[in-house]
Amino acid sequence: MAHEVHCLKAQLEEKEKEIVALKNKLAHLEKGNASVLKLYEKVTPLSALQAKAALSNEDIMRYSRQLLLPELGVQGQLNLSKTSVLVVGCGGLGCPLAQYLAAAGIGRLGLLDYDEVELSNLHRQVLHGEENQDQAKALSAANAVKRLNSTVECIPYHLQLSSENALQLIQQYLVNDACVLSGKPLVSASALRMEGQLTVYNYRGGPCYRCLYPVPPPSETVTNCSDGGVLGVVPGIMGCFQALEVLKIASGQGSSCGQQLVMFDAQDARFRSIKLRPKQAGCAVCGENPSVTRLVDYEAFCGSAATDKCRILNLLSRDQRITVQDYKSIMDNAEPHLLLDVRPLVEVDICHLPTSLNIPLSSLEDRKSEHIQLLQERISQLKLQMEGDCRPPVYIICKLGNDSQKAVQVMEKMSGSEVESITVKDISGGLMAWAKRIDPTFPQY
Amino acid sequence: MAAPVAIHLEFGGGAELLVDGVKDHHVTLPSQPEPWDVKQLLVWIRQNLLKERPELFVQGDSVRPGILVLINDADWELMGELDYQLQDQDNVVFISTLHGG
């Protein structure tokens, strides 16, 4: 009897070794395939994520430092391994978020982005490298995550959540409603300039995004990173914060941000937690009598707000505008004129045309006295130089040709009263058109 | 007659751009017959702090969609919104929701 037990034990041990060897072989082969991750262009149903019964020795070693935390423990680690997370946007927030979720051993990561990697992304979107430029962000992020932890299942989606350029705003309402309708918490963060915000929506009696913001804000109040600027580490901090809350929820500890708005002020190095309203009974999607019971047309809901990230204004008539080619010949012929650059000083410091006078649009609008005086002087000089009672030409330039149009309208009101009579036109397409069509060495930003 | 109330106003998330880019404002609301409430505060801000484009801050007698009001570190919805009566040394934050990252 004792002999039989001993034999069986030995056999079992043998088989277990065999299983480990087979698993290692499989893992090795799968690692080799990591470089050929498939990029999904549309959403397809996925097989259910299999729950692990126990941690392998490799798991134990890899996650040992977090397994030691009583807040996580073995059960928490197993919970992570059976959780799927969809990361919407593989940018400044999504990169650190995906990175820490993968590092911690999340089961499956959906990585969604419609965009390709650009040079101007790299200061904050830290999963992408120089060699990934022009590659789909979702794929670039997935490959980086796979290198970090090959046991995480990565599904890169190269698609947009709405038909037009998926503006943050539309995406926010869409993702919120999708989460409410499918009963998932939404760990949401944003970062701009030197500030960040974070809230977990639709979680344990807390509000959803619509409870807080039932009506979308007007389009002009929505600033994105390409307009407002952002210091890369600010979304980095907020993305890490998102990862923290996701890990707390997924492991079973729970998040305390369900009815909280966390605000981060990077300038003052200060975090603040604000108590928010609870879930609202009258909410259109999570309330008692919801009017939104499936996903709707979010562009229509958000109004004309939902257009391209760089809107092109058309305020002026054709004869009030010149092209960059026209301006080039004015320069080449040394025709007397005044070139007025109406961008903010911080942008003029990045690049400007050598002859331009900088007066920001806001100073023109506010009629800042020192600027108006400067303008008067320069126009008078120009008039003297032109020796005649003509109307000296003033050409206005900005980055893309939107603010310059507004400035033409302001200057036309000033012409003949606050300054001498002038002919004022704007340069269509601004400095970026100049860089593209006239001077390829001129910086683009 | 209600006594003057000294309060701390903060603007953030981009809302500070409507008040000359200044985030912190320590202001004293003058003495008036009725106690000051948030509704009257918004009128006062419109008249005294907003430099341009007040429609980007107020709409009707409330704040425009997308701005969250916090009174003493709590969502104003928990405090009575427009009807909340301001106390001396109150802290009122106007924060524009951020979109980006």
Side-chain angles (χ1 to χ4, degrees), chain A residues 92-93 169 190-191 193 195 197 209 213 215-217 220-221 223 225 263 265 270 272 274-277 280, chain B residues 10 12-14 17 23 53 56 64-65 68 70 73-78 91 93 95-101:
Chain A
L93 296 158
L169 184 63
S190 53
R193 299 188 192 93
E195 281 181 276
Q197 297 172 355
Y209 189 74
Y213 306 106
V215 180
E220 57 209 298
T221 63
T223 309
C225 294
M263 302 194 294
D265 186 325
R270 192 166 60 140
R272 272 167 100 179
I274 301 294
K275 184 156 171 36
L276 292 176
R277 67 197 72 175
Q280 300 290 287
Chain B
E10 285 179 76
L17 299 176
K23 287 187 170 183
R53 319 226 24 211
L56 295 185
R64 69 140 171 91
L68 201 59
L70 313 169
D73 282 355
D75 186 347
W76 73 333
E77 201 269 345
L78 302 168
N91 183 61
V93 181
I95 186 138
S96 182
T97 162
L98 298 177
H99 298 272

Side-chain angles (χ1 to χ4, degrees), chain A residues 228-243:
Chain A
V230 64
L231 192 65
V233 64
V234 178
I237 288 167
M238 298 314 292
C240 287
F241 207 142
Q242 275 180 295

Side-chain angles (χ1 to χ4, degrees), chain A residues 283-348:
Chain A
C283 176
V285 66
C286 77
E288 283 159 11
N289 287 303
S291 55
V292 179
T293 52
R294 56 186 176 81
L295 296 181
V296 297
D297 181 346
Y298 291 90
E299 273 169 76
F301 174 67
C302 295
S304 56
T307 49
D308 193 53
K309 56 180 168 187
C310 297
R311 273 162 292 137
I312 303 297
L313 283 181
N314 248 321
L315 300 174
L316 304 179
S317 65
R318 229 172 165 180
D319 59 333
Q320 288 173 296
R321 313 196 72 183
I322 61 169
T323 63
V324 284
Q325 288 87 350
D326 294 336
Y327 185 70
K328 176 79 166 61
S329 52
I330 289 167
M331 254 173 95
D332 290 345
N333 300 334
E335 291 175 32
H337 70 277
L338 175 63
L339 177 65
L340 187 62
D341 186 332
V342 292
R343 294 172 302 150
L345 183 61
V346 67
E347 291 184 45
V348 174

